[in-house]
Amino acid sequence: MTQPQLPQQLSLTDRKKLSVTAVREVKSFDENLVVLLTDLGELSIHGQSLQLKDLSVQEGRAAVEGDISALIYQEPRSRGFWSRFLG
């Protein structure tokens, strides 16, 4: 069952504090990279001394603090022929 798409908001303060909504899961995180799966695609947060400060997947929100240098989206992958055929 597909979950409804939530409106997404990003709030970046002084390149130090980032709040994100419409978060579905945390794919990975370390001090230089946090990767979030969101309703609008995969969001990679690059920087230094990154910390995941607040996370509520049930509410669809996350907060990251540190020295943020880049935010990069990758489009959600569409399902290919075989994945649709095989379920």
Side-chain angles (χ1 to χ4, degrees), residues 26 28-29 34 36 45 50-55 62-65:
V26 177
S28 66
F29 68 94
V34 176
L36 304 175
I45 303 155
L50 299 179
Q51 298 177 5
L52 201 54
K53 287 293 194 177
D54 181 28
L55 174 65
V64 177
E65 292 185 10

Side-chain angles (χ1 to χ4, degrees), residues 26-81:
V26 177
K27 289 189 76 174
S28 66
F29 68 94
D30 63 34
E31 65 181 19
N32 298 311
L33 175 65
V34 176
V35 181
L36 304 175
L37 181 60
T38 76
D39 285 348
L40 298 180
E42 188 175 281
L43 174 61
S44 298
I45 303 155
H46 297 262
Q48 295 179 348
S49 303
L50 299 179
Q51 298 177 5
L52 201 54
K53 287 293 194 177
D54 181 28
L55 174 65
S56 175
V57 176
Q58 293 81 10
E59 295 180 19
R61 71 171 194 271
V64 177
E65 292 185 10
D67 297 319
I68 298 169
S69 59
L71 303 172
I72 301 170
Y73 276 100
Q74 291 193 8
E75 293 298 320
R77 293 184 183 156
S78 62
R79 294 181 58 169
F81 172 77

